[in-house]
C-alpha cells in the first residue's frame, strides 16, 4: 500500500539520511521524495511517498522518534494520494 | 580553556566521575585534558571493551556510562557496543575524535564517516561543527541518552575543535516532564484487571530502566497477579514470590510458557514482544487481551495488536492501575505449575552440572552481588538457575546477544560499585572474544571474579547443530582452547580448575573470598544442553525438554 508522508524537521546535514535509513530498515520503499529547506526558520519540509505491505503507523511512529522531527502527517491509500495530486 | 578541557568540564557537570576508553591521534587533545585529572579515565584494551565497560557501568548503577575512542579504527571498534546498548536501551555516551574539519571528506588518515556509521546503532548522534555547538551538543546528548526510552548517543568531535578555544555554555535546568495520566485509560485498565480470571504480568527491561521496581513490587503485592519476566527483567520480582514463574520464551521455564498460553489478560510492562520471548507470534498468549505499558509509542502495536496501551512513566502508571482481583483458582493453578515444573538439580555422576553449580553460587553469594553474563548456554543457565535482588544485579547482553560482553561489562560494574562482589560468568568461546580485558583488570587491580564454564565447545551453536543440523558440528569444537588458568596467571590473576562435583563448594568459597580478581575454570561435559527449548517457529507450549 502507498502512503504520502509530510514531514517537518529541524534542518541538519544528515536528516535525510536518517529518514531514508529508517524507511528502508522498517520495510518501506521510497517511491518519491521532495525536500526543501526554508532559509529563515531552519526547518526542512519533506514530502515522501512510501510503499509497503506493513501498516504505515509502524513507520510514522519510528520517524516521530528521530531527533529533530517536528511533525509527521500521513495520507494513506492510493486513491487519496491521487485525489490530492 | 580549549575544546578538550571544555569536554572534561562538561562531563564533570554531568556528574561523570569515570570514563572508559583508548587513545589515538584524533582524540589526543582530549586525552591531554584528561591527564589533568578531575575525571578518572580507565584504559581498556580494545574500544569494544571500553563500550561494554560503559554499558556495565550504566547497567549496574542506572547512571550514564561514557566511552572514548579515536577516529577511524577506534570508532569502528565501538560499533558493536553501541548496537548492544541500542538493543538493550542503555544510556551511554560515546565520544570519538574525528580528523580536523578541513580534512573531513578527503579520505584523510584514520578518517571514517563515523556519523554515517552511527545511524543504525545509536539513538542519536552528533558531529560537532563549531566551538559554539560543543556545549549544547553535550547537554543534549545526555538528555537524549537518559530520557524517554534510554539509549546510546555518539558525539564525534573533530580535532581542531578539541584544540581550538571553547565557548561557555550554561546548563539548562531540567524540568520534570511527567504527563498527566489519562483517567479514562486508567479506569479501563482497572476494569480489565478486575474482570480478568487469569491475568498475567509479562515484565520487561523497561521496569528497571524506569526505576519502577518498587512500584511493580507494590502492584504485585496488592493484586497478587502472577508474573513472568524477560531476560532483561530478571531481578524485578523476588524469585521466591509464590506466583512468579521466572523467565518466559525460548529458554523460559515451562510454567511461564504454559501460563502465557493460558492467560486471559496479559499485562506487558516495559516489554516489547521480542521473538525470543513470543515464539510463534500469532500463537503467543492466544486467548489474552493485552494491556501494553511502555514509554516508547513505537512499541505499541508493533508486533502484537493490543486492547489498551499507555506510554506514560511506569512509576506513575503502575500505582494508578492497582485494582481488586478475584483470581484464587488461577493463583492455585500457577503455584502448582511452579512446583510441578520446578528445576531439578539431582544430576547423576561425578561431572559438574553447571545449573546446579550456578544455583549453589546464587545461594551463597553476598547480597547485591552483580552477575555479568556472557552469551551462550551458560547465559541461559544463569538466567534460569541464578537469582538476584534487583535488575541492576543481572547484566546480560539480551537484545544483541553479544559474545565477549561478560568480562568488560564486569569491569564497568566493578568500577561503578567497588564495594560489591562482581562475577563474570563466561563460556570458553565468549571469554576469548574480549580476553584482552584481563589487562584492564590487572591494571586497575579490580577484584572481578570470573567463572568460566568450559565445555570445549561453542555450546549454544553446538546444541542447535545437534538438534537441527543433524549433528554436523561445523566449527564449534574448541578442544584446542588455551590453558585458561595459565592465561589468567599471565595477568597476575590467580585461579584453579575444577572437574568434579565434590570440588564445587570449596572452590566457590575461594572464588568469593579472594581479595582480588580470581578465575574459577569449571570443566563440564560438552554434551549438556539448555532445556527447555522452544524450537524456532514453534509456539511457546511446544517445548522440547530434556529426555534424561
Ligand atoms: C559476537 C558473536 N558472535 C557469534 C555469536 C553466535 N553465538 C551465540 S552463542 C555462541 C556460542 C557461545 O559459546 P561459549 O561462549 O563457549 O558458551 P556456551 O554456549 O558453550 O555456554 C555463538 C557462537 C554471538 N552471539 N555473538
Amino acid at each position: 500500500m502507498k502512503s504520502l508522508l509530510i514531514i517537518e524537521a529541524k534542518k541538519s546535514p544528515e536528516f535525510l539520511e536518517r529518514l531514508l535509513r529508517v524507511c528502508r530498515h522498517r520495510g518501506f520503499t521510497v517511491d518519491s521524495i521532495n525536500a526543501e529547506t526554508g532559509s529563515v526558520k531552519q526547518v526542512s519540509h519533506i514530502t515522501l511517498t512510501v510503499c509497503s505491505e506493513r501498516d504505515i503507523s509502524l513507520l510514522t511512529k519510528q520517524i516521530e522518534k528521530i531527533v529533530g522531527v517536528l511533525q509527521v502527517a500521513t495520507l494513506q491509500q492510493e486513491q487519496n494520494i491521487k485525489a490530492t495530486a | 580553556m580549549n575544546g578538550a578541557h571544555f569536554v572534561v568540564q562538561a562531563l564533570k557537570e554531568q556528574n561523570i566521575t569515570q570514563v572508559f576508553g583508548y587513545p589515538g591521534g584524533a582524540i589526543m587533545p582530549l586525552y591531554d585534558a584528561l591527564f589533568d585529572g578531575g575525571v578518572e579515565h580507565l584504559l581498556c584494551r580494545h574500544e569494544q571493551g571500553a563500550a561494554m565497560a560503559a554499558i556495565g557501568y550504566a547497567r549496574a548503577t542506572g547512571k550514564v556510562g561514557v566511552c572514548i575512542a579515536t577516529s577511524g579504527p577506534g570508532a569502528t571498534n565501538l560499533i558493536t557496543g553501541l548496537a548492544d546498548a541500542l538493543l538493550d536501551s542503555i544510556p551511554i555516551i560515546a565520544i570519538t575524535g574525528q580528523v580536523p574539519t578541513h580534512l573531513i571528506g578527503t579520505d584523510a588518515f584514520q578518517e571514517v564517516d563515523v556519523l554515517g556509521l552511527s545511524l543504525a546503532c545509536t539513538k542519536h548522534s552528533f558531529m560537532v561543527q563549531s566551538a559554539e555547538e560543543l556545549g549544547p551538543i553535550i547537554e543534549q546528548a545526555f538528555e537524549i541518552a537518559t530520557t524517554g526510552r534510554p539509549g546510546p548517543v555518539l558525539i564525534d568531535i573533530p580535532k581542531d575543535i578539541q584544540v581550538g578555544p571553547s565557548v561557555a555554555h550554561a546548563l539548562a535546568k531540567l524540568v520534570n516532564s511527567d504527563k498527566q495520566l489519562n483517567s479514562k485509560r486508567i479506569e479501563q485498565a482497572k476494569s480489565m484487571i478486575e474482570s480478568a480470571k487469569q491475568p498475567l504480568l509479562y515484565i520487561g527491561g523497561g521496569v528497571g530502566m524506569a526505576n519502577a521496581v518498587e512500584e511493580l513490587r507494590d502492584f504485585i503485592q496488592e493484586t497478587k497477579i502472577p508474573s513472568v519476566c524477560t531476560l532483561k527483567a530478571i531481578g524485578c520480582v523476588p524469585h521466591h514470590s509464590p506466583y512468579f514463574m521466572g523467565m518466559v520464551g525460548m529458554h523460559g521455564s515451562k510454567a511461564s510458557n504454559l501460563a502465557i498460553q493460558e492467560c486471559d489478560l496479559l499485562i506487558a510492562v516495559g516489554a516489547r514482544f521480542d521473538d525470543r520471548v513470543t515464539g510463534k507470534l500469532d500463537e503467543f498468549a492466544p486467548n489474552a487481551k493485552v494491556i501494553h505499558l511502555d514509554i516508547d509509542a513505537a512499541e505499541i502495536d508493533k508486533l502484537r495488536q493490543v486492547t489498551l496501551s499507555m506510554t506514560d512513566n511506569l512509576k506513575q502508571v503502575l500505582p494508578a492501575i492497582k485494582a481488586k482481583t478475584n483470581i484464587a483458582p488461577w493463583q492455585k493453578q500457577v503455584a502448582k505449575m511452579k512446583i510441578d515444573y520446578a528445576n531439578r538439580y539431582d544430576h547423576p555422576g561425578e561431572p559438574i552440572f553447571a545449573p546446579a553449580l550456578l544455583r549453589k553460587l546464587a545461594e551463597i553469594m553476598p547480597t547485591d552481588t552483580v552477575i555479568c553474563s556472557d552469551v551462550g548456554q551458560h547465559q541461559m543457565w544463569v538466567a534460569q538457575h541464578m537469582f538476584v535482588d534487583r535488575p541492576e544485579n543481572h547484566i546480560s547482553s539480551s537484545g544483541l546477544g553479544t559474545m565477549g560482553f561478560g568480562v568488560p561489562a564486569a569491569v564497568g560494574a566493578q568500577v561503578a560499585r567497588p564495594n560489591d562482589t562482581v562475577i563474570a560468568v563466561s563460556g570458553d568461546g565468549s571469554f576469548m572474544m574480549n580476553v584482552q580485558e584481563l589487562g584492564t583488570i590487572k591494571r586497575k587491580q579490580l577484584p572481578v571474579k570470573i567463572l568460566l564454564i568450559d565445555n570445549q565447545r561453542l555450546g549454544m551453536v553446538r546444541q542447535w547443530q545437534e538438534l537441527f543440523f543433524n549433528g554436523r558440528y561445523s566449527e564449534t569444537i574448541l578442544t584446542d582452547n588455551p590453558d585458561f588458568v595459565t592465561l589468567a596467571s599471565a595477568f597476575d590473576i590467580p585461579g584453579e580448575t575444577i572437574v568434579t562435583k565434590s570440588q564445587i563448594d570449596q572452590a566457590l568459597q575461594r572464588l568469593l573470598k579472594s581479595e582480588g580478581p580470581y578465575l574459577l575454570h569449571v570443566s563440564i561435559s560438552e554434551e549438556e544442553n539448555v532445556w527447555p527449548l522452544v524450537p524456532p517457529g514453534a509456539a511457546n507450549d511446544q517445548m522440547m525438554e530434556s529426555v534424561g
Side-chain angles (χ1 to χ4, degrees):
Chain A
M1 188 152 24
K2 266 189 203 292
S3 306
L4 177 74
L5 299 182
I6 300 166
I7 299 161
E8 263 182 38
K10 269 199 228 151
K11 182 183 158 184
S12 85
E14 80 288 357
F15 181 74
L16 274 184
E17 262 176 284
R18 289 189 195 278
L19 178 65
L20 293 176
R21 193 201 71 80
V22 168
C23 292
R24 172 187 52 74
H25 175 56
R26 299 292 171 178
F28 291 77
T29 45
V30 174
D31 285 346
S32 74
I33 180 166
N34 180 57
E36 278 169 42
T37 302
S39 51
V40 190
K41 280 191 165 162
Q42 302 290 301
V43 172
S44 301
H45 299 266
I46 294 144
T47 317
L48 197 64
T49 39
V50 292
C51 181
S52 177
E53 295 295 305
R54 297 186 180 180
D55 192 286
I56 188 66
S57 69
L58 292 176
L59 178 62
T60 50
K61 286 185 199 168
Q62 295 294 343
I63 293 176
E64 281 161 6
K65 288 206 295 179
I66 302 176
V67 173
V69 167
L70 304 170
Q71 210 181 323
V72 183
T74 323
L75 273 179
Q76 208 166 24
Q77 309 291 358
E78 218 144 356
Q79 299 90 309
N80 285 350
I81 293 179
K82 279 192 191 129
T84 53
Chain B
M1 197 191 303
N2 70 12
H5 278 99
F6 180 90
V7 172
V8 175
Q9 185 61 36
L11 290 175
K12 274 199 270 188
E13 281 168 16
Q14 295 286 349
N15 298 319
I16 298 297
T17 49
Q18 282 141 325
V19 297
F20 304 88
Y22 207 99
I27 196 76
M28 280 181 70
L30 182 57
Y31 273 82
D32 191 61
L34 285 165
F35 197 62
D36 289 334
V39 173
E40 186 191 5
H41 180 270
L42 289 102
L43 181 73
C44 295
R45 294 309 175 92
H46 187 294
E47 291 84 353
Q48 183 178 119
M52 289 175 185
I55 294 173
Y57 184 98
R59 292 184 68 159
T61 55
K63 296 196 288 193
V64 177
V66 176
C67 56
I68 301 176
T70 191
S71 67
T76 56
N77 276 348
L78 287 180
I79 297 292
T80 305
L82 293 172
D84 192 278
L86 183 67
L87 278 192
D88 281 346
S89 310
I90 308 302
I92 64 167
I93 303 272
I95 299 176
T96 47
Q98 182 54 277
V99 302
T101 313
H102 72 279
L103 286 180
I104 292 176
T106 67
D107 307 315
F109 177 64
Q110 295 193 327
E111 183 193 2
V112 165
D113 173 15
V114 174
L115 191 81
L117 283 177
S118 72
L119 298 183
C121 60
T122 57
K123 181 176 173 187
H124 193 59
S125 45
F126 297 92
M127 153 107 91
V128 182
Q129 287 175 315
S130 67
E132 294 77 44
E133 281 184 7
L134 198 50
I137 282 179
I138 294 173
E139 182 178 353
Q140 269 185 67
F142 274 86
E143 188 179 339
I144 292 168
T146 51
T147 51
R149 180 178 180 168
V153 178
L154 178 134
I155 311 174
D156 199 28
I157 314 179
K159 196 172 182 178
D160 51 317
I161 293 178
Q162 297 172 51
V163 293
S166 61
V167 177
H169 172 72
L171 278 188
K173 287 251 174 335
L174 274 187
V175 280
N176 189 345
S177 59
D178 275 354
K179 301 176 281 182
Q180 185 107 41
L181 296 175
N182 178 322
S183 55
K184 235 173 91 190
R185 288 189 184 214
I186 295 290
E187 285 316 311
Q188 196 187 342
K190 285 166 88 167
S191 90
M192 284 171 76
I193 293 169
E194 272 161 23
S195 57
K197 294 201 168 58
Q198 311 205 136
L200 184 67
L201 285 158
Y202 153 39
I203 298 159
V207 171
M209 305 305 304
N211 200 8
V213 173
E214 283 320 309
E215 287 77 3
L216 176 77
R217 289 180 181 183
D218 275 0
F219 180 84
I220 291 176
Q221 180 74 23
E222 208 160 307
T223 62
K224 306 270 190 305
I225 295 178
S227 56
V228 302
C229 75
T230 66
L231 182 59
K232 245 195 98 186
I234 286 171
C236 287
V237 185
H239 78 285
H240 52 73
S241 312
Y243 311 125
F244 173 62
M245 287 164 285
M247 188 169 73
V248 63
M250 182 173 271
H251 289 298
S253 68
K254 185 169 179 176
S256 286
N257 282 335
L258 293 182
I260 285 268
Q261 296 312 87
E262 289 187 23
C263 68
D264 65 355
L265 174 66
L266 188 69
I267 310 169
V269 191
R272 61 183 173 90
F273 297 88
D274 175 80
D275 55 282
R276 283 295 193 265
V277 162
T278 62
K280 192 171 183 201
L281 185 61
D282 18 316
E283 287 173 32
F284 180 73
N287 309 315
K289 290 182 180 162
V290 177
I291 299 176
H292 195 174
L293 311 176
D294 199 291
I295 193 88
D296 183 358
E299 290 302 337
I300 309 297
D301 294 332
K302 184 179 83 175
L303 290 158
R304 171 78 179 233
Q305 297 295 315
V306 302
T307 318
L308 177 69
S309 65
M310 280 179 269
T311 54
D312 308 277
N313 185 343
L314 291 177
K315 272 179 108 62
Q316 283 180 283
V317 188
L318 285 169
I321 62 168
K322 276 186 197 160
K324 282 234 155 22
T325 54
N326 186 0
I327 51 172
W330 171 236
Q331 288 164 334
K332 221 170 117 191
Q333 185 186 343
V334 163
K336 182 169 181 323
M337 284 202 291
K338 186 171 172 173
I339 293 166
D340 288 352
Y341 305 131
N343 293 319
R344 294 184 56 173
Y345 300 99
D346 51 345
H347 179 262
E350 262 306 282
I352 292 169
F353 181 49
L357 177 141
L358 291 167
R359 186 72 179 186
K360 175 88 201 176
L361 176 60
E363 282 162 2
I364 62 172
M365 68 195 190
T367 317
D368 258 335
T369 295
V370 183
I371 300 295
C372 296
S373 171
D374 237 306
V375 170
Q377 293 180 308
H378 61 281
Q379 175 189 33
M380 292 298 110
W381 287 326
V382 166
Q384 293 173 330
H385 305 289
M386 295 193 79
F387 45 87
V388 295
D389 319 303
R390 49 195 180 107
E392 299 94 299
N393 292 351
H394 175 255
I395 301 180
S396 192
S397 169
S398 306
L400 196 65
T402 317
M403 284 174 71
F405 178 82
V407 172
V411 164
Q414 187 76 78
V415 167
R417 289 169 49 184
N419 299 323
D420 286 323
T421 303
V422 176
I423 306 175
V425 180
S426 191
D428 49 310
S430 296
F431 183 64
M432 291 294 284
M433 272 214 185
N434 271 319
V435 72
Q436 80 286 342
E437 295 311 318
L438 295 183
T440 313
I441 292 174
K442 176 181 177 196
R443 184 180 174 88
K444 281 285 158 190
Q445 285 298 301
L446 299 170
V448 170
K449 319 279 179 263
I450 301 168
L451 182 67
L452 177 53
I453 303 204
D454 181 3
N455 50 11
Q456 301 201 8
R457 297 292 183 279
L458 295 174
M460 186 57 97
V461 180
R462 187 212 60 82
Q463 175 170 352
W464 281 51
Q465 288 171 333
E466 177 190 334
L467 299 175
F468 310 121
F469 290 87
N470 298 317
R472 288 157 56 85
Y473 297 117
S474 178
E475 296 290 15
T476 52
I477 299 179
L478 301 182
T479 42
D480 52 354
N481 271 327
D483 176 336
F484 290 112
V485 174
T486 307
L487 180 63
S489 75
F491 293 90
D492 296 341
I493 298 173
E496 64 181 304
T497 297
I498 58 173
V499 291
T500 64
K501 286 193 179 114
S502 57
Q503 297 173 293
I504 291 177
D505 287 2
Q506 295 202 343
L508 287 180
Q509 289 299 339
R510 283 191 289 273
L511 176 81
L512 292 173
K513 295 227 163 90
S514 72
E515 291 275 310
Y518 198 83
L519 174 79
L520 178 57
H521 172 233
V522 182
S523 180
I524 65 162
S525 159
E526 73 274 12
E527 284 171 4
E528 287 298 343
N529 284 330
V530 181
W531 303 116
L533 168 102
V534 178
N540 275 356
D541 51 3
Q542 314 285 299
M543 279 161 280
M544 298 168 76
E545 291 177 83
S546 165
V547 279

